[in-house]
Amino acid sequence: MRALALVWVVISSVGCGDDAGGRPIDVEGPRGRAPWPGPWPVRVLTDGPAPTLYFAVDAGGFSVLPLGATGGGLFEGSLPAQPEGARLRYYVQVDGRSEPPEGAAAPFAADVVAPGVDASDAGVSGPCALSFRHPVAKQVLDARDDGAPQAGLQLTVVVRSNLPEGTPARLEVEGVGYAGTAGGGVVAFEGVTMPPGEVALQADAVAPGGEPCAATITVTVR
């Protein structure tokens, strides 16, 4: 599993005047809110030439960030880590076209936000411990937290962990399970679908040696 929360935006060929303009560009990256800390991955899928990623912070000018080809028309890079309160702005160009279409005039944007502190953080000790970092207990989630265009609310759930690198973990949300892997002191679960109303989240894992641990919170989705 990859670590951060993400959104796919698809350009259709409607309104494009030539064959090149009809090629789809899919861009996956932070949008709306970017839970601290970074960096934040960006992925671009295109059947055209290699894309160029432009990135800016707050009102600063745009600069080019490298994207690496991973095969099958997929290119990947990262927006560099920024402090809480920073505003990330970025867009992609492929063969003279931009996504979003307005490019630098109306790029994708995400605010770096503090994920909050759950009261259970004090228990992150011992051979196996978990606590929710984003979202946190009793948090109210809305469209600003949405990380994908599909129906419902999708986001990346981040859980603090003292588990060794590579230890598997599991998240259950209203009967649906998601898999994650410990790394850098956290476990991230991508593409978690949050139904409306009061929602229970439970993360669990087993430390090497067999000791289990779990954390549970309830949030509200509007």
Side-chain angles (χ1 to χ4, degrees):
M1 290 292 294
R2 301 176 189 268
L4 285 172
L6 309 169
V7 56
W8 282 95
V9 179
V10 181
I11 296 181
S12 71
S13 59
V14 176
C16 298
D18 52 34
D19 291 339
R23 292 181 179 135
I25 307 171
D26 296 346
V27 179
E28 179 186 291
R31 187 178 174 189
R33 296 180 183 180
W36 182 90
W40 300 272
V42 174
R43 305 181 188 101
V44 182
L45 180 65
T46 176
D47 61 1
T52 302
L53 172 63
Y54 294 90
F55 169 70
V57 180
D58 298 327
F62 284 91
S63 58
V64 175
L65 290 180
L67 290 171
T70 60
L74 181 64
F75 297 80
E76 298 186 351
S78 295
L79 305 183
Q82 303 294 327
E84 295 173 15
R87 184 169 180 80
L88 314 176
R89 299 183 295 130
Y90 65 99
Y91 67 98
V92 172
Q93 281 193 340
V94 179
D95 199 21
R97 296 175 299 119
S98 297
E99 171 59 5
E102 297 84 355
F108 294 122
D111 296 314
V112 180
V113 296
V117 178
D118 183 26
S120 63
D121 282 348
V124 182
S125 60
C128 183
L130 302 170
S131 69
F132 281 87
R133 196 182 79 179
H134 179 73
V136 294
K138 300 182 180 180
Q139 183 172 345
V140 177
L141 304 170
D142 56 30
R144 295 173 297 173
D145 301 284
D146 198 3
Q150 294 91 345
L153 189 151
Q154 287 83 36
L155 75 162
T156 297
V157 174
V158 182
V159 177
R160 285 188 177 91
S161 157
N162 63 353
L163 297 168
E165 300 283 316
T167 302
R170 184 176 182 275
L171 174 72
E172 182 171 316
V173 179
E174 300 298 324
V176 180
Y178 301 86
T181 303
V186 299
V187 183
F189 302 92
E190 276 188 21
V192 176
T193 299
M194 307 287 287
E198 189 172 88
V199 181
L201 298 84
Q202 176 170 316
D204 57 76
V206 177
E211 179 172 339
C213 55
T216 302
I217 63 170
T218 300
V219 300
T220 300
V221 178
R222 292 179 177 172

